[in-house]
Amino acid sequence: MLTEDLLVLTSASYAGPGDAGQTGSWRVLRPVIDYEKCAPARTGKPACFFCWLYCPDGVVSKTLLPQITLEYCKGCGICAEECPSQAITMVEESSFSAVDDRERCSCSSPAT
């Protein structure tokens, strides 16, 4: 495989503590949930929750509007891969600003 064939993602990170399992700012991709596609959110019934089941860090809530605790999310993308309705997409962290993070805290849906 040629090196030109590889996709290179760069981190817009800053030095952070990473204390107690917190991600800090080194995550390159962030999961974003589209609630119009998400089965529990769309139907209002406890269904699916594959994102909750397969998350290795346990940062996805098992609620009708699943939330991802971004403070601890490592950005591995397993939730997006396992989502049968493709409601979770991995977005480059550099497309979010520090202001977005402060306003959104642990909420995973984009601000409107």
Side-chain angles (χ1 to χ4, degrees):
M1 176 182 290
L2 299 174
T3 56
E4 298 89 40
D5 295 334
L6 300 176
L7 174 64
V8 177
L9 295 176
T10 57
S11 175
S13 66
Y14 51 89
D19 293 336
Q22 291 180 330
T23 302
S25 68
W26 56 262
R27 180 181 54 233
V28 177
L29 297 174
R30 172 188 292 199
V32 176
I33 301 173
D34 180 349
Y35 290 113
E36 291 180 9
K37 293 181 181 178
C38 176
R42 193 179 69 243
T43 63
K45 298 178 182 176
C48 183
F49 295 115
F50 281 16
C51 54
W52 170 82
L53 180 66
Y54 288 105
C55 176
D57 290 313
V59 298
V60 182
S61 68
K62 192 176 181 184
T63 56
L64 292 182
L65 284 177
Q67 299 291 314
I68 298 172
T69 305
L70 295 174
E71 292 174 89
Y72 296 96
C73 173
K74 306 300 185 265
C76 68
I78 293 174
C79 57
E81 287 294 321
E82 295 299 331
C83 181
S85 59
Q86 298 178 340
I88 303 173
T89 55
M90 299 303 290
V91 179
E92 282 193 48
E93 192 69 40
S94 61
S95 66
F96 297 93
S97 70
V99 173
D100 290 335
D101 289 340
R102 284 193 300 273
E103 289 174 356
R104 295 170 45 176
C105 297
S106 297
C107 180
S108 61
S109 62
T112 54

